[in-house]
Amino acid sequence: MNIFADQPLLPTIWFIIIGVFWIGYLILEGFDFGVGMMMSKVFSKNEKEKRLLLNTIGPVWDGNEVWLVTGGAATFAAFPFWYASLFSALYIPLTLALVFLILRVVAIDYRGKQNTEKWINFWNASISVSSFFLAFLVGALLGITSTGLPINENGDVVGAFTWIFNPFTYIGGLGIVLFSYLQGLAFIALKTDGEVRYRASKTLVRLMPLGILPCVIWVLYLQFTGISAGILSWVMVVFAVISCAFAYLKARAGREGWTFVGTSLFITTGALAIFLALYPNVFPSTLDPAYSLNIANASSSPYTLTIMTWLACLMLPFIILYQAWGYYMFRKRLTVEHIPDAHDATDLATMSKGSH
């Protein structure tokens, strides 16, 4: 059965585009969050290793956030009623996500401004904590959106804090936290050499079987409850299993590039299975399926979507090519030996004055 039959074309296109934005964000910002969580003493053993971790994401981490910003803007423009219901129901967790997003940016930029143990430890902890909670909140919001809240006939969520009692607040949050950590390990194994590389590979092999469990529960739940769960979404589930097995075997063989491809395909196919099972709903109602927001009743006018589609056709390939070029330019491995000794920013200012 064709699940796209009898559904409006432009809203369907934008449902797919928003899905692409989220998948890109989970793949790229996933390893960002994972590397950030590794700034704790559990993984990185000394300051040079922490600086090595940050240098692997240094050229790309802020560009990865483009996918979230663009996805949010696309949701606002293409599905304003979905956006309004989401933000009114989940105002507190979304505000917390914004706070942790700001903290993470500030921490990455500020940690190298002074060369004192207290200063550096504070910002290292800030990077680790903000990365963890950002991953958890992103996963929680996606879990809630895909499984639903008590939405009434007006599109309003009944009960301000209903999301707290939704089990997929925690399953989705934990799922993205653990995936991000696995993706971060795969990226570090790919981008570094020496002891850090082998430590990341061994940790990835050890944690992967357990780390994928929340995502598996999430995906399977929607396959059995989603209104459009059918052969296509189940095919994506099969591909997700194959991708995970592929990543695990390549990690054991020390093939880091293929390992990263495998983990990226796992989240891609898993997310596709969720989106396909959810379609045409964008925000299911647990009160009555008739109250659910879908691509038809939550979308903008055809005129608005037509203009947006032309803009997306022009800009989306540019975004993808530009980011691909950036990753290609910074593709070489880094080692601890590439990291210079730490110095205080005030020392540079003093040296600069003395040279005149």
Side-chain angles (χ1 to χ4, degrees), residues 70-256:
T70 310
T75 303
F76 172 76
F79 299 102
F81 296 103
W82 178 17
Y83 185 91
S85 294
L86 188 66
F87 272 74
S88 61
L90 305 173
Y91 185 81
I92 292 177
L94 283 165
T95 302
L96 286 174
L98 180 60
V99 170
F100 284 117
L101 183 63
I102 294 171
L103 175 61
R104 186 169 181 269
V105 172
V106 171
I108 291 174
D109 284 340
Y110 272 47
R111 73 175 299 280
K113 300 303 182 184
Q114 289 186 24
N115 187 25
T116 64
E117 184 176 359
K118 184 177 180 180
W119 176 272
I120 292 173
N121 287 341
F122 173 77
W123 291 117
N124 284 342
S126 298
I127 294 171
S128 183
V129 169
S130 60
S131 296
F132 173 88
F133 280 106
L134 266 173
F136 181 86
L137 288 167
V138 167
L141 293 169
L142 290 174
I144 294 167
T145 301
S146 61
T147 56
L149 284 176
I151 301 172
N152 63 21
E153 64 274 17
N154 297 319
D156 299 322
V157 175
V158 179
F161 299 102
T162 311
W163 55 271
I164 295 177
F165 307 104
N166 188 327
F168 282 90
T169 298
Y170 311 100
I171 293 174
L174 185 60
I176 297 303
V177 166
L178 291 176
F179 167 75
S180 296
Y181 198 78
L182 295 176
Q183 186 79 336
L185 289 170
F187 182 75
I188 291 301
L190 175 63
K191 284 291 295 177
T192 64
D193 208 348
E195 184 183 349
V196 173
R197 171 188 178 184
Y198 299 113
R199 189 189 311 150
S201 294
K202 290 180 180 178
T203 306
L204 177 61
V205 171
R206 189 171 65 250
L207 293 183
M208 185 178 289
L210 181 63
I212 65 168
L213 281 181
C215 287
V216 170
I217 294 171
W218 183 5
V219 171
L220 290 179
Y221 174 81
L222 281 170
Q223 298 314 301
F224 290 109
T225 61
I227 63 172
S228 292
I231 184 65
L232 192 55
S233 59
W234 276 107
V235 167
M236 290 299 107
V237 173
V238 172
F239 279 131
V241 172
I242 294 172
S243 299
C244 186
F246 176 81
Y248 181 77
L249 293 174
K250 291 302 179 182
R252 288 180 62 89
R255 301 293 299 275
E256 292 91 352

Side-chain angles (χ1 to χ4, degrees), residues 10 13-15 17-18 21 70-80 299-316:
L10 287 175
I13 290 173
W14 275 96
F15 183 80
I17 291 174
I18 290 172
F21 284 135
T70 310
T75 303
F76 172 76
F79 299 102
S299 65
S300 294
S301 67
Y303 178 75
T304 300
L305 294 178
T306 300
I307 294 175
M308 290 176 60
T309 303
W310 282 108
L311 289 174
C313 289
L314 292 173
M315 298 305 298
L316 189 55

Side-chain angles (χ1 to χ4, degrees), residues 290-352:
Y291 299 157
S292 297
L293 295 177
N294 55 53
I295 63 168
N297 63 24
S299 65
S300 294
S301 67
Y303 178 75
T304 300
L305 294 178
T306 300
I307 294 175
M308 290 176 60
T309 303
W310 282 108
L311 289 174
C313 289
L314 292 173
M315 298 305 298
L316 189 55
F318 174 77
I319 293 173
I320 294 173
L321 288 173
Y322 179 79
Q323 283 211 296
W325 175 81
Y327 279 95
Y328 177 78
M329 292 300 295
F330 295 98
R331 66 190 181 278
K332 292 185 178 180
R333 292 182 183 269
L334 298 175
T335 66
V336 172
E337 288 71 28
H338 289 127
I339 307 301
D341 293 332
H343 53 262
D344 202 316
T346 56
D347 295 338
L348 289 179
T350 303
M351 292 171 60
S352 177

